[in-house]
Amino acid sequence: MEPIIFTPRLKLTLVTKAERGSPELEWMHELRSNERSTWWSIYGRSNSLEDTEKVITGCLPTNGGEEKTYRVAYAVHKILEPDGDKQPVDQATKPTEFIGLVNLASLDANGLPLPADLGLPTTPSTTTLTAELGYNFLPSGWGKGYATESVNAVLEACRCKKSFWSPYSKLFVRAIVNEDNPASGRVMDKVGMEKKGVYHWTGKAVFLAGRWQEKSTVFIYGMYLLE
């Protein structure tokens, strides 16, 4: 994957590790410890650095294992325009402000199982990989189109890097959006994700949207990124 991606307003940095004392862990903890940015996260807000480290292990690349995992995570920074500078400045030299994270991860045993009629790939698993899209943004990045801009950039990077997904020739991306989170639904529409259906989830209570929930209604989105 490209280590750095620039869009007109954003700088996306590939995150492959987040060690103690690193700027990557500082970014992740700022995001995970913010109640509003984790409002729709089933993992809730981090109360400690250890909480953050535990959560991000599910989105950062692993060092190997019996079963290969495919994970892509990009930290999103807003590019700041220098005050009073009328001369053109190269994007790479401009100051930035961290605002969020976009990630894609292949499904594992912890993924939410969904009925086949909700758009799961029908092709053999030996040729098709399913990955789940997720993102979180700090409140300072809300309502400005940054989510759409960054998700589009990450999806395009994943589409262009076909060799990363080898030996799979097809890549299906899904996303799960709570019915009470219409803003994310609009992002999904804008990036080309197709609404596959509605799923009424029930299970062990999770702390979501400020309260403990044992059931919830979610919209399932999906599309083939490679086919």
Side-chain angles (χ1 to χ4, degrees):
M1 288 296 165
E2 292 295 327
I4 295 178
I5 302 171
F6 284 104
T7 71
R9 302 182 296 166
L10 304 171
K11 176 182 179 181
L12 283 68
T13 304
L14 184 66
V15 180
T16 57
K17 57 184 178 179
E19 300 173 335
R20 285 289 178 102
S22 69
E24 289 86 356
L25 184 56
E26 183 179 330
W27 300 336
M28 299 301 101
H29 189 55
E30 180 183 2
L31 186 67
R32 296 300 317 173
S33 60
N34 186 290
E35 182 179 17
R36 296 177 70 192
S37 65
T38 56
W39 190 252
W40 294 110
S41 170
I42 61 172
Y43 303 106
R45 182 175 66 88
S46 293
N47 294 312
S48 66
L49 203 57
E50 289 76 14
D51 287 346
T52 295
E53 289 175 320
K54 187 181 299 183
V55 171
I56 64 176
T57 57
C59 66
L60 298 184
T62 60
N63 293 322
E66 293 183 3
E67 184 176 351
K68 183 177 180 180
T69 58
Y70 297 80
R71 294 174 181 172
V72 177
Y74 277 94
V76 183
H77 286 75
K78 175 176 64 175
I79 298 174
L80 305 175
E81 296 297 332
D83 293 332
D85 189 352
K86 298 182 180 180
Q87 298 298 318
V89 178
D90 183 74
Q91 272 189 317
T93 65
K94 292 181 180 179
T96 61
E97 175 188 331
F98 174 73
I99 58 171
L101 179 77
V102 178
N103 67 282
L104 231 68
S106 54
L107 296 185
D108 57 22
N110 295 319
L112 178 65
L114 295 173
D117 61 354
L118 286 179
L120 292 178
T122 55
T123 52
S125 59
T126 54
T127 59
T128 303
L129 177 71
T130 299
E132 189 160 300
L133 170 68
Y135 62 82
N136 294 86
F137 280 83
L138 292 167
S140 61
W142 293 0
K144 301 178 177 66
Y146 293 145
T148 300
E149 190 171 328
S150 57
V151 169
N152 266 327
V154 171
L155 291 178
E156 182 59 26
C158 291
R159 182 184 288 111
C160 291
K161 198 68 172 180
K162 294 182 179 180
S163 60
F164 177 84
W165 310 102
S166 179
Y168 297 98
S169 58
K170 298 181 179 182
L171 174 63
F172 183 84
V173 177
R174 79 176 197 184
I176 299 173
V177 178
N178 193 282
E179 67 170 348
D180 294 323
N181 186 9
S184 281
R186 289 191 291 271
V187 172
M188 294 298 99
D189 292 336
K190 291 176 182 177
V191 302
M193 295 282 274
E194 180 183 350
K195 186 183 288 186
K196 297 295 186 178
V198 180
Y199 182 65
H200 302 286
W201 169 84
T202 57
K204 184 178 179 181
V206 295
F207 193 77
L208 186 69
R211 60 190 176 89
W212 287 100
Q213 301 187 37
E214 294 181 336
K215 58 182 179 179
S216 185
T217 298
V218 296
F219 297 122
I220 309 302
Y221 290 83
M223 70 175 179
Y224 274 98
L225 201 59
L226 296 174
E227 59 179 334

